[in-house]
Amino acid sequence: MALGTSVGGWKIIRTVGGKIFKMHPIHGFAADLNSAVVILTATLLHLPVSTTHVVSGSIMGVGSAQRVKAVHWDVARSMVVAWVMTIPCTAIMGAVSYLVATTFFGGAL
């Protein structure tokens, strides 16, 4: 995870911080406050949430509150597609890894 963040982290930060919606300090404050409330509530209710999804959704919400057309929906759409594709792709990779491991180390697992 650390390697992935160090390699691709800046792209994610740039996308979330500026490509979804051109933010000003008050927008950042509102998005962060909303994210904190949502994450804290989820924690108290023992619900799993992705902080990246919560923050991105908060930024889209702040942008929509300012003006719906202010949000770059094409960027938001590509992010949602990537989120949806993550679970099946990782499941497939996990299955392939398991099959490779059992093939090479059969009885040891």
Side-chain angles (χ1 to χ4, degrees):
M1 284 177 57
L3 179 63
T5 301
S6 66
V7 172
W10 288 110
K11 183 177 179 183
I12 295 167
I13 292 167
R14 189 173 47 246
T15 299
V16 172
K19 289 188 177 181
I20 297 174
F21 168 67
K22 181 66 177 164
M23 294 191 345
H24 296 284
I26 190 66
H27 301 127
F29 174 76
D32 280 347
L33 180 61
N34 180 66
S35 298
V37 169
V38 169
I39 293 167
L40 177 64
T41 302
T43 301
L44 294 174
L45 295 173
H46 304 287
L47 299 173
V49 294
S50 166
T51 55
T52 303
H53 295 164
V54 171
V55 171
S56 300
S58 295
I59 291 171
M60 289 178 216
V62 168
S64 296
Q66 179 73 27
R67 192 173 53 122
V68 174
K69 291 192 176 209
V71 177
H72 298 138
W73 293 108
D74 54 331
V75 174
R77 189 176 310 110
S78 67
M79 288 174 58
V80 170
V81 168
W83 294 341
V84 170
M85 292 303 297
T86 299
I87 292 174
C89 289
T90 54
I92 291 167
M93 289 181 68
V96 169
S97 298
Y98 174 79
L99 291 173
V100 168
T102 55
T103 299
F104 289 111
F105 306 106
L109 296 177

